[in-house]
Amino acid sequence: MPKLSETIAKKLPQSKTGTDKYWDAEIKGLVLFVGKRSKTWYFQKDIGGQTKRILIGRFPMISSQAARQTAMGLALEMGRGAGKVAQIGAPTLEAATEVYLARPKLRSEDYKHSTRLALDKHLKDWMRLPLDEITKAMVVRRHQEMARTPSGANHTLRHFRSIYNHAKRTYDLPECPTLAIEWYEEKPDGRIIEDLQEWRQDVDGLQNQIHKVFYELLLFTGLRKTEALTLQWKQIEEDRIHLPVTKNGRSFDLPIVQVHHEILAPMRALSRTWVFPSPKSAKGYVTGPEKLKWSPHAHRRTFATVAMEAGVLEEIVGRLLNHTPLSITGQRYARPSLDALRPSMEIVCNEISARIWAQ
């Protein structure tokens, strides 16, 4: 590559996919990143086995001459050691993702997995781009390209937004480009199990006993699908089910009563570790239970609906479901004990049983 003069920088074609890098022949470390829509100057150098990349600015706002002078100054500073404290340019989406998922406020492994899965499936061509190279036009176009699955489009770009805004705490980044998105309206499923006697017949018709117990436990606890499937016996005590990490990043203790022990009793002899074991699964537990006409989350909604119809206060139902309270008092101060919540769990379980066996 020759000297990156103003003329050559203008003539370089925009990239069709990803980002092309053009290195200056005279000033070592000066590089022009050329994306689909923009061209950006950087200075890059390896220091102590780590690559340091410093943002100079966008072309043509920053001319070739200005970029070259800046790069020479940075090279001189780094040669004297000042580069060790120089501000590094914007991280790539890949690097920002890893930092976001490793933050001290640990999120659940399921959240990490779903985030990586969404980015790998829909934003893979962005992963090596610096965040400040991802423009409003790019995010709007990608969101529109995913219009066939509105919920998936929203969730993917919201993952991106969370990662970007987390990186913005450390790096000098512009406003998040997702501000330009018009989010698709999402209509929650909202379905519940209307006829619990029909549910009982369908569950009894399952061939796999483990799957039967799984659905019974969902209905009588309101647990999320993965929370139930990954249960270990060490988490189940006489008076509670302990979940060390949940979707909201906190641990959770769910009060249990006699009916829960009766539901789980057939599972006790099958495994010392997993409540719902599967010898065919690489993880050791069931990952794909036989499907009913009602989803696992419909069981959770049914638990909540029955609870409220039985007279349990909405705040208490939220506690049993491990929802984050909306009020400051609920979030920071009120911590109902298991003994205080257990009578409400009894009410819900009794009402569910009554509806299942109603004449």
Side-chain angles (χ1 to χ4, degrees), residues 158-219:
R158 282 171 180 154
H159 282 312
F160 169 80
R161 180 180 63 187
S162 297
I163 294 165
Y164 188 101
N165 286 335
H166 184 264
K168 198 172 185 296
R169 299 177 185 179
T170 307
Y171 296 90
D172 185 17
L173 294 170
E175 62 183 11
C176 183
T178 55
L179 286 171
I181 290 177
E182 293 187 19
W183 302 100
Y184 296 120
E185 181 180 357
E186 297 180 55
K187 297 180 180 179
D189 187 313
R191 284 178 291 180
I192 65 170
I193 305 169
E194 300 283 355
D195 188 338
L196 287 176
Q197 291 182 327
E198 181 186 2
W199 170 87
R200 177 78 267 173
Q201 292 176 357
D202 282 12
V203 169
D204 286 343
L206 295 175
Q207 297 298 314
N208 191 308
Q209 176 68 24
I210 296 176
H211 297 178
K212 291 181 183 181
V213 175
F214 164 71
Y215 284 113
E216 289 174 345
L217 189 67
L218 284 188
L219 182 63

Side-chain angles (χ1 to χ4, degrees), residues 37-336:
R37 301 283 179 181
S38 63
K39 299 177 181 180
T40 308
W41 297 104
Y42 287 94
F43 180 77
Q44 182 171 311
K45 185 174 182 179
D46 290 337
I47 300 177
Q50 184 179 8
T51 298
K52 304 289 185 180
R53 182 185 298 151
I54 301 175
L55 172 67
I56 296 176
R58 292 279 180 93
F59 176 83
M61 184 176 297
I62 301 298
S63 67
S64 171
Q65 182 180 358
R68 297 173 68 78
Q69 290 175 344
T70 301
M72 286 189 288
L74 289 170
L76 181 61
E77 289 178 2
M78 286 191 173
R80 293 171 175 170
K84 293 181 180 179
V85 296
Q87 182 180 358
I88 304 172
T92 63
L93 176 55
E94 184 176 31
T97 298
E98 293 307 314
V99 172
Y100 170 73
L101 295 178
R103 67 199 188 283
K105 186 180 179 182
L106 180 67
R107 300 298 292 266
S108 69
E109 290 302 318
D110 287 330
Y111 178 83
K112 292 181 180 181
H113 176 71
S114 64
T115 299
R116 287 195 173 98
L117 198 64
L119 297 186
D120 187 61
K121 183 176 181 180
H122 301 293
L123 306 182
K124 190 172 184 178
D125 54 326
W126 293 2
M127 295 306 288
R128 296 191 177 183
L129 289 179
L131 290 179
D132 56 1
E133 288 289 318
I134 301 173
T135 65
K136 292 179 180 179
M138 289 170 64
V139 298
V140 169
R141 190 179 308 112
R142 186 58 50 89
H143 189 249
Q144 292 171 345
E145 290 170 354
M146 298 172 63
R148 293 180 62 182
T149 54
S151 178
N154 285 350
H155 288 172
T156 298
L157 272 302
R158 282 171 180 154
H159 282 312
F160 169 80
R161 180 180 63 187
S162 297
I163 294 165
Y164 188 101
N165 286 335
H166 184 264
K168 198 172 185 296
R169 299 177 185 179
T170 307
Y171 296 90
D172 185 17
L173 294 170
E175 62 183 11
C176 183
T178 55
L179 286 171
I181 290 177
E182 293 187 19
W183 302 100
Y184 296 120
E185 181 180 357
E186 297 180 55
K187 297 180 180 179
D189 187 313
R191 284 178 291 180
I192 65 170
I193 305 169
E194 300 283 355
D195 188 338
L196 287 176
Q197 291 182 327
E198 181 186 2
W199 170 87
R200 177 78 267 173
Q201 292 176 357
D202 282 12
V203 169
D204 286 343
L206 295 175
Q207 297 298 314
N208 191 308
Q209 176 68 24
I210 296 176
H211 297 178
K212 291 181 183 181
V213 175
F214 164 71
Y215 284 113
E216 289 174 345
L217 189 67
L218 284 188
L219 182 63
F220 279 84
T221 60
L223 287 172
R224 295 180 175 90
K225 175 184 176 181
T226 303
E227 291 172 346
L229 288 176
T230 57
L231 273 178
Q232 299 183 45
W233 287 115
K234 65 182 180 181
Q235 296 172 242
I236 300 177
E237 302 176 26
E238 184 63 30
D239 64 341
R240 73 191 69 192
I241 292 176
H242 175 69
L243 303 178
V245 181
T246 60
K247 184 178 180 180
N248 57 29
R250 299 190 300 267
S251 63
F252 174 59
D253 287 305
L254 177 73
I256 56 176
V257 295
Q258 182 59 32
V259 67
H260 298 118
H261 291 291
E262 293 172 0
I263 289 171
L264 292 170
M267 300 291 100
R268 285 285 181 182
L270 300 182
S271 170
R272 292 183 178 181
T273 303
W274 302 107
V275 175
F276 300 110
S278 173
K280 296 181 181 179
S281 170
K283 295 185 177 181
Y285 57 84
V286 174
T287 55
E290 187 177 348
K291 292 183 179 180
L292 297 177
K293 65 176 67 175
W294 306 280
S295 70
H297 210 73
H299 289 65
R300 182 172 168 85
R301 286 192 291 266
T302 302
F303 176 91
T305 302
V306 171
M308 295 188 66
E309 290 177 350
V312 179
L313 295 176
E314 183 176 352
E315 168 70 16
I316 300 301
V317 176
R319 293 287 182 179
L320 293 174
L321 293 173
N322 192 28
H323 285 164
T324 302
L326 296 177
S327 69
I328 297 298
T329 300
Q331 290 178 27
R332 298 185 181 179
Y333 299 100
R335 291 289 186 273

